[in-house]
Amino acid sequence: MADAASILHVSPVIPVVTIDDPRHAVPIARALADGGVRIIELTLRTESALTSLKRIADEVPDILVGAGTVLTPAQADAAIDAGAQFLVSPGITKTLLDHLLTTGVPFLPGVATIGEVMGVLERGLTAMKFFPAGPAGGPGYLAAVGAPIPQVQFCPTGGISLDSAPGYLALPNVSCVGGSWLTPKTAVEHNDWEQITKLAREASGLSLD
Ligand code: 3PG
């Protein structure tokens, strides 16, 4: 059975990255790796996302590349074909979960309620994305979920920053957080890869207290 527990322990922050121009894919991935972040969740929100994903998978072997915003079984298959080493969905449906369990590729299903957590747990999975973390209740909500369901580890994502990350990372049921702040649009537009490396270095220095 697919188990994404190891994905949660690669870095304190999983950068959630949306790439418009595939020529930016490799420099972004290298900049993140140079800053010590060896994982990237590349969202399937642009037409060329799979091209970017393939380039990173082929050309930046020291970073683990996964596909985010996986909404359908077809997207999951296409991402795996392009080289995705893990998959992330913002929420979960029975159709998608049934399919993901057949792929053999680790994945983080998105959940936001106790019922959703229980539904995914029933299928034998204990690693999940908590999304959208900030609007859904933040660290206080996750701490409360951990009382009845301590066996689930979360990657909260959505509305998290370098400043708010420690509040999540301090929780026993959080192994990492996700966020898009490591790859600001302006830095990408200006080919400012050093800025991304600096943000990655700050993020990789966050500790799980
Ligand atoms: C995601 O898909 O996980 C979010 O878009 C990332 O959320 P953020 O932009 O608030 O970090």
Side-chain angles (χ1 to χ4, degrees):
M1 175 150 315
D3 179 359
S6 58
I7 302 292
L8 298 182
H9 291 99
V10 177
S11 165
V13 181
I14 298 181
V16 178
V17 184
T18 299
I19 300 178
D20 291 310
D21 182 343
R23 286 173 301 182
H24 293 146
V26 167
I28 288 173
R30 288 211 176 110
L32 290 168
D34 286 349
V37 172
R38 301 194 181 279
I39 185 164
I40 179 169
E41 177 189 328
L42 181 60
T43 71
L44 301 183
R45 293 180 206 172
T46 60
E47 270 185 26
S48 55
L50 291 175
T51 305
S52 294
L53 200 153
K54 185 162 172 34
R55 286 194 189 177
I56 295 171
D58 289 347
E59 296 178 44
V60 195
D62 53 345
I63 201 160
L64 201 64
V65 60
T69 324
V70 174
L71 303 178
T72 66
Q75 283 182 314
D77 290 345
I80 293 167
D81 283 349
Q85 291 158 288
F86 67 96
L87 304 170
V88 186
S89 60
I92 199 65
T93 66
K94 183 176 181 316
T95 306
L96 184 59
L97 189 51
D98 283 347
H99 184 73
L100 290 172
L101 285 165
T102 67
T103 65
V105 173
F107 62 93
L108 296 174
V111 292
T113 68
I114 310 255
E116 289 165 1
V117 173
M118 290 170 61
V120 172
L121 189 58
E122 274 178 5
R123 308 295 297 273
L125 301 171
T126 57
M128 306 176 200
K129 165 168 171 159
F130 175 54
F131 181 80
Y141 184 93
L142 270 185
V145 173
I149 312 178
Q151 66 272 50
V152 173
Q153 283 293 309
F154 295 97
C155 175
T157 307
I160 301 179
S161 64
L162 183 71
D163 290 339
S164 64
Y168 290 93
L169 293 170
L171 297 172
N173 58 351
V174 170
S175 308
C176 66
V177 301
S180 62
W181 83 87
L182 279 69
T183 53
K185 237 181 164 46
T186 50
V188 174
E189 276 164 11
H190 293 99
N191 291 358
D192 187 355
W193 314 127
E194 277 177 26
Q195 163 79 350
I196 291 173
T197 296
K198 184 176 160 282
L199 291 166
R201 198 167 287 127
E202 283 173 352
S204 60
L206 289 167
S207 59
L208 299 162
D209 292 322

